[in-house]
């Protein structure tokens, strides 16, 4: 009997279709030498904006359907993450247009790889099957390996690409082996199917081993301690725009799949994996923030900061409830905006000799370059979690969700309470190294006068949008909190 071809509602796949169409358009126009390569960046931005508009419309409509024999799920959860990915893509494309320069002939492959990585992220968030999530993970990762080594003439960039490739391959192997063990325990790779087959009574060593390997695989992808070793070197060596991209959208994609699998497929063994998540969250926040203090290179400082922020997101997962999930989603969106903004401000500080990456290079910029220092100060204050910035409310709701999960009428979860206390202490620690850069800009005299390049308009547009987002969410957090709460699984 011939198999039936499933009915596909293409309108539900509009965001993904727009990204694929944009990818093909960029590919065709890249072959036309008479067209300015900067045009490809604007095409990428326009395509991402259209896909963003389609995702918002589907989110407002309350869409919740599956496609391709239930392997692909279009629901409020995946659509909210689509917004995170597409906002990251738009901001990164804006800061990339001037970063690459007019004479760079390789801009076509650059934007193609960014679009492919974005498509992979969207597959990860919408995957209703472990295999689909793995395919999305590999599509995203392979694109990022090439982008990290984009400047082939730079030894640092080539080294970053090679390190990312080798450690990423190990992470993929752990993840795939975890899928195989879970399949052995449940007999299916469908996320709803795993939840149906596995109960508290049907736990097996195979299932627990598979769950642990998934944590290891995701730990590498989102840079959780002790699986973070690649992040500082890759962030430092990769082009600054790609470091911004890796720290934002792909990290959010890793957490999108992480949260969906553990909250939807493995709720019956929650007591086993929450203890591991709590421990990893404490380690990640503490190691990331403490080592960041010792950094003199601003990209490495932001790399360790990114590791610490992964620990904050883990607090939402450790809470293991709807509030924890929604607060983690809100925090990931906020983090993507402010982190890309911080890297964009670093790009804004370019001189004729290259980027100013040593923190001491920013001495005296507070009054010499008020626009640059203003953008960087706002992003660093938000990353530190100062009030009236988006970062403050992101951390506040993360901590609140964990406290609510910890303090129940009949029992108090001391592990979660300890986790919140450690998170609050780490927030105070992080303020030291963020404010150190601000103090350097406004209260230190420069050792030598550096001549900075003029401000490119696309980069300034991207930073203005990031600044508006940070301030708007900081003043009116309900604009995003309510959609995030409505989008939980």
């Amino acid at each position: 009997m011939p198999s039936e071809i499933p009915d596909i509602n293409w309108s539900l796949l509009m965001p993904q279709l727009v990204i694929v169409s944009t990818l093909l358009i960029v590919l065709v126009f890249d072959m036309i030498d008479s067209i300015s390569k900067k045009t490809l960046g604007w095409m990428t931005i326009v395509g991402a904006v259209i896909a963003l508009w389609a995702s918002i419309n589907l989110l407002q409509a309350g869409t919740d359907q599956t496609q391709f024999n239930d392997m692909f799920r279009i629901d409020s959860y995946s659509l909210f993450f689509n917004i995170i990915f597409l906002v990251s893509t738009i901001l990164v494309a804006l800061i990339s247009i001037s970063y690459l320069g007019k004479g760079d002939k390789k801009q076509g492959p650059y934007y193609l790889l960014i679009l492919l990585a974005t498509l992979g992220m969207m597959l990860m968030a919408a995957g209703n099957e472990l295999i689909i999530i793995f395919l999305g993970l590999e599509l995203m990762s392979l694109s990022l390996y090439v982008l990290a080594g984009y400047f082939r003439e730079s030894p640092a960039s080539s080294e970053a690409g090679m390190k990312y490739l080798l450690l990423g391959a190990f992470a993929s192997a752990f993840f795939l082996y975890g899928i195989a063990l879970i399949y052995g325990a449940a007999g299916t790779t469908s996320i709803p199917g795993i939840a149906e087959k596995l109960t508290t009574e049907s736990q097996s060593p195979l299932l627990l081993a598979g769950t642990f390997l998934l944590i290891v695989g995701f730990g590498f992808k989102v840079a959780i301690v002790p699986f973070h070793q690649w992040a500082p070197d890759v962030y430092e060596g990769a082009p600054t725009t790609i470091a911004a991209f890796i720290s934002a959208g792909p990290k959010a994609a890793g957490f999108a799949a992480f949260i969906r699998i553990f909250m939807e497929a493995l709720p019956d063994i929650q007591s086993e994996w929450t203890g591991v998540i709590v421990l990893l969250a404490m380690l990640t926040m503490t190691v990331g923030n403490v080592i960041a203090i010792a950094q003199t290179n601003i990209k490495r400082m932001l790399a360790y900061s990114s590791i610490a922020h992964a620990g904050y997101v883990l607090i939402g997962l450790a809470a293991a409830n709807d509030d924890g999930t929604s607060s983690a989603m809100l925090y990931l969106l906020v983090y993507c905006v402010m982190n890309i903004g911080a890297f964009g401000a670093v790009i804004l500080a370019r001189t004729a000799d290259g980027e100013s990456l040593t923190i001491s290079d920013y001495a005296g910029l507070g009054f010499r370059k008020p626009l640059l220092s203003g953008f960087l100060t706002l992003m660093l204050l938000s990353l530190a979690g100062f009030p009236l910035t988006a970062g403050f409310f992101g951390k506040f709701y993360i901590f609140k969700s964990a406290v609510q999960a910890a303090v129940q009428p009949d029992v108090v979860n001391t592990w979660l309470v300890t986790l919140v206390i450690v998170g609050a202490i780490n927030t105070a620690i992080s303020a030291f190294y963020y404010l150190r850069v601000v103090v350097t800009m406004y209260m230190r005299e420069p050792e030598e006068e550096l001549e900075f390049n003029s401000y490119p308009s696309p980069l300034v547009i991207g930073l203005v949008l990031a600044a508006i987002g940070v301030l708007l969410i900081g003043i009116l957090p309900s604009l995003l909190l309510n959609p995030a709460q409505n989008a939980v699984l």
Side-chain angles (χ1 to χ4, degrees):
M1 182 177 177
S3 59
E4 296 182 2
I5 298 176
D7 293 329
I8 300 173
N9 186 347
W10 294 106
S11 63
L12 298 177
L13 304 174
M14 191 56 63
Q16 290 83 2
L17 293 176
V18 170
I19 293 298
V20 172
S21 301
T22 305
L23 192 152
L24 295 175
I25 292 170
V26 170
L27 180 63
V28 170
F29 277 85
D30 182 43
M31 295 186 288
I32 305 174
D33 292 333
S34 60
I35 292 178
S36 170
K37 298 302 178 182
K38 282 191 174 184
T39 307
L40 304 177
W42 290 110
M43 289 178 179
T44 301
I45 292 167
V46 170
V49 168
I50 295 172
L52 177 63
W53 174 78
S55 296
I56 292 173
N57 283 345
L58 290 170
L59 180 63
Q60 291 175 338
T63 306
D64 188 359
Q65 295 187 39
T66 58
Q67 298 291 310
F68 302 108
N69 289 327
D70 297 332
M71 292 192 297
F72 201 78
R73 184 172 177 182
I74 301 94
D75 57 359
S76 297
Y77 179 83
S78 63
L79 292 169
F80 189 91
F81 272 101
N82 280 358
I83 294 172
I84 299 177
F85 308 147
L86 293 166
V87 166
S88 301
T89 301
I90 293 167
L91 291 176
V92 168
L94 279 169
I95 67 176
S96 297
I97 290 173
S98 57
Y99 184 80
L100 296 178
K102 295 180 180 178
D104 194 333
K105 299 297 184 183
K106 299 179 290 183
Q107 294 190 37
Y110 177 91
Y111 292 112
L112 285 172
L113 289 166
I114 284 180
L115 289 167
L116 277 172
T118 304
L119 182 62
M121 296 177 215
M122 297 167 84
L123 287 176
M124 289 180 69
N128 206 35
E129 260 264 357
L130 296 181
I131 300 301
I132 296 296
I133 292 175
F134 178 74
L135 291 175
L137 179 69
E138 288 306 290
L139 179 60
M140 176 190 77
S141 298
L142 290 172
S143 303
L144 294 177
Y145 301 152
V146 180
L147 286 170
Y150 175 75
F151 290 153
R152 287 179 293 178
E153 65 279 3
S154 167
S157 181
S158 299
E159 181 184 348
M162 184 58 67
K163 285 182 177 178
Y164 198 15
L165 169 63
L166 293 175
L167 289 176
F170 278 112
S172 297
F174 280 117
F175 186 77
L176 192 58
Y177 196 19
I179 291 175
L181 293 182
I182 289 178
Y183 176 76
T188 180
T189 54
S190 167
I191 290 176
I194 294 170
E196 290 177 7
K197 296 287 180 65
L198 300 178
T199 62
T200 307
E201 292 75 21
S202 66
Q203 293 179 23
S204 67
L206 208 60
L207 171 64
L208 297 178
T211 302
F212 174 75
L213 288 176
L214 288 186
I215 293 175
V216 173
F218 281 126
F220 273 106
K221 294 301 179 182
V222 300
I224 295 171
V225 175
F227 316 112
H228 67 290
Q229 295 92 340
W230 60 270
D233 293 336
V234 170
Y235 282 43
E236 183 181 13
T240 305
T241 52
I242 299 307
F245 190 51
I246 293 172
S247 72
K251 187 180 288 285
F255 275 112
F258 202 161
I259 294 170
R260 186 185 283 279
I261 292 172
F262 279 73
M263 293 296 293
E264 190 173 342
L266 305 171
D268 288 317
I269 58 169
Q270 179 180 314
S271 58
E272 279 76 11
W273 57 257
T274 49
V276 177
I277 297 298
V278 167
L279 179 61
L280 290 176
M282 291 181 184
L283 281 173
T284 303
M285 288 185 292
T286 305
V287 171
N289 283 318
V290 170
I291 299 181
I293 294 174
Q295 304 306 310
T296 57
N297 182 293
I298 196 165
K299 285 174 72 174
R300 288 187 73 87
M301 187 199 81
L302 289 173
Y304 282 107
S305 161
S306 175
I307 293 167
H309 283 279
Y312 297 130
V313 180
L314 283 179
I315 296 176
L317 179 58
N321 57 21
D322 288 348
D323 285 339
T325 301
S326 62
S327 61
M329 292 163 66
L330 171 66
Y331 194 83
L332 285 166
L333 177 53
V334 165
Y335 166 77
C336 287
V337 173
M338 58 192 183
N339 212 52
I340 293 175
F343 276 104
V346 171
I347 295 172
L348 206 60
R350 294 178 85 179
T351 66
D353 297 328
E355 292 174 309
S356 302
L357 298 179
T358 304
I359 293 175
S360 59
D361 291 340
Y362 292 80
L365 288 188
F367 301 103
R368 289 178 54 217
K369 292 288 183 179
L371 186 64
L372 185 162
S373 54
F375 280 134
L376 186 55
T377 299
L378 176 61
M379 298 307 161
L380 293 176
L381 291 178
S382 185
L383 285 166
F386 276 73
L388 296 182
T389 63
F392 170 78
F393 284 101
K395 287 187 173 69
F396 173 78
Y397 286 115
I398 284 276
F399 294 155
K400 179 184 175 184
S401 67
V403 170
Q404 289 176 336
V407 182
Q408 300 294 331
D410 53 342
V411 65
V412 175
N413 187 326
T414 54
W415 279 104
L416 279 179
V417 172
T418 305
L419 178 59
V420 173
I421 293 172
V422 172
I425 293 171
N426 273 282
T427 300
I429 293 173
S430 69
F432 175 80
Y433 61 83
Y434 290 128
L435 290 178
R436 180 182 60 181
V437 180
V438 178
V439 168
T440 300
M441 288 192 294
Y442 288 97
M443 300 182 184
R444 300 276 172 82
E445 291 296 326
E447 296 178 0
E448 60 176 318
E449 294 292 334
L450 300 176
E451 292 297 327
F452 293 96
N453 296 340
S454 57
Y455 295 152
S457 54
L459 177 55
V460 173
I461 292 171
L463 288 173
V464 167
L465 291 175
I468 291 172
V470 166
L471 291 173
L472 189 61
I473 299 169
I475 297 170
L476 299 171
S478 59
L479 289 176
L480 287 178
L481 180 62
N482 292 337
Q485 289 175 335
N486 295 332
V488 294
L489 296 171

